[in-house]
Amino acid sequence: MRVSFGGTWIADSENVLLLFEPGRYPVAYFPQTDVSPDTLQRSEHTTRHQDLGFTRWYTVRAGERSAPRGAWQHIELPAYARELQARVAFAWPAMDAFYEEDERILGHAADSYHRIDIRQASRNLVVRHHDRIIADTKRPLVLYESGFAPRWYVARADIDESALTPVEHQDFCPYKGLCSYYDIGDARLAAWSYRQAYPEVRRISDLVSFEPDIVSVELNGSQLRLEPGQTVIPHGPDRDLTVAEARPRQQP
């Protein structure tokens, strides 16, 4: 993994550790020996992590650029976390980019335990808003994603697309790609679609899913409800990436 800042590589390592904490995205920790000399300038700011103890913060410098509190290091680690000794983590939004080999990592470091499974179903899924039927299908796809409740996706041929009003709002998922949203009448952000989903989940490309707490979604006559864990933390396109840059590369 590599870190770019100020037009240069400031960290480059084959020995990165990912820290997983409940309710947080994975954080990459680099050996301090794999960080470019003079990149880290110790600041007076310190904090105390509830599990990892005293934390020292650094200003990250490269060329004419600087990022106050752009990196941190845990100094008084408990025995169970000694693997993080002499390692540094960089504030994801403060850096220019993170890479694995030659491919840019978007959103956050990939969770190697994160899994997505997509299955074909033949159950009848009906979406309504007020008295209007928005979608009616007997061939929905269901997407199972680690940590989240199932999401149901519908082919556009089974949707009254005149009911969908595209909006400018977009989110980004590091595992599925760039997500576009739709209003349905007075129901804001009631549906979404990964118009060009990443190759690993291409089966949901250009299909539409509906938010069951905003519009009525029935599966075989049973009303779906927003379940615990179904709400996600949204991401906009990473830093200043354009929409085109956030989309997957076209295969030659």
Side-chain angles (χ1 to χ4, degrees), residues 121-128 133-142 151-154 158-159 208-210 216-222 224:
S122 58
R123 292 194 267 177
N124 186 205
L125 186 138
V126 180
V127 180
R128 293 183 176 88
I133 294 179
I134 310 301
D136 189 345
T137 185
K138 292 184 179 179
R139 51 174 183 168
L141 289 183
V142 57
R151 292 294 200 176
W152 296 84
Y153 285 80
V154 182
D158 297 332
I159 298 171
V208 180
S209 191
F210 299 87
S216 170
V217 182
E218 293 182 358
L219 188 65
N220 279 358
S222 297
L224 295 184

Side-chain angles (χ1 to χ4, degrees), residues 20-190:
F20 299 88
E21 295 183 88
R24 298 178 181 272
Y25 291 118
V27 176
Y29 281 78
F30 291 76
Q32 196 162 352
T33 53
D34 291 340
V35 178
S36 298
D38 304 321
T39 293
L40 303 176
Q41 179 178 325
R42 188 182 301 183
S43 72
E44 297 180 359
H45 181 68
T46 60
T47 56
R48 180 166 291 278
H49 190 284
Q50 63 178 1
D51 297 312
L52 302 176
F54 181 76
T55 304
R56 175 181 295 153
W57 290 78
Y58 297 92
T59 295
V60 177
R61 296 189 182 278
E64 302 298 319
R65 296 276 306 283
S66 66
R69 304 183 189 178
W72 67 89
Q73 185 179 44
H74 303 297
I75 304 300
E76 299 174 352
L77 287 161
Y80 61 78
R82 288 292 170 82
E83 285 183 286
L84 296 178
Q85 194 75 43
R87 290 179 176 270
V88 176
F90 294 91
W92 198 274
M95 300 297 100
D96 291 344
F98 287 71
Y99 282 78
E100 286 181 336
E101 298 297 341
D102 295 330
E103 293 194 10
R104 183 169 181 166
I105 308 171
L106 302 176
H108 59 75
D111 181 348
S112 56
Y113 299 99
H114 194 96
R115 177 169 176 163
I116 292 177
D117 293 290
I118 301 170
R119 298 290 182 263
Q120 180 68 61
S122 58
R123 292 194 267 177
N124 186 205
L125 186 138
V126 180
V127 180
R128 293 183 176 88
H129 183 52
H130 301 314
D131 295 328
R132 183 176 183 180
I133 294 179
I134 310 301
D136 189 345
T137 185
K138 292 184 179 179
R139 51 174 183 168
L141 289 183
V142 57
L143 183 144
Y144 301 99
E145 183 169 3
S146 299
F148 301 111
R151 292 294 200 176
W152 296 84
Y153 285 80
V154 182
R156 290 179 181 268
D158 297 332
I159 298 171
D160 178 1
E161 288 201 71
S162 67
L164 305 182
T165 303
V167 297
E168 292 184 2
H169 178 76
Q170 290 181 312
D171 284 337
F172 175 77
C173 171
Y175 306 103
K176 299 188 288 292
L178 194 67
C179 183
S180 299
Y181 283 82
Y182 304 90
D183 292 343
I184 298 176
D186 58 357
R188 286 188 38 74
L189 306 181

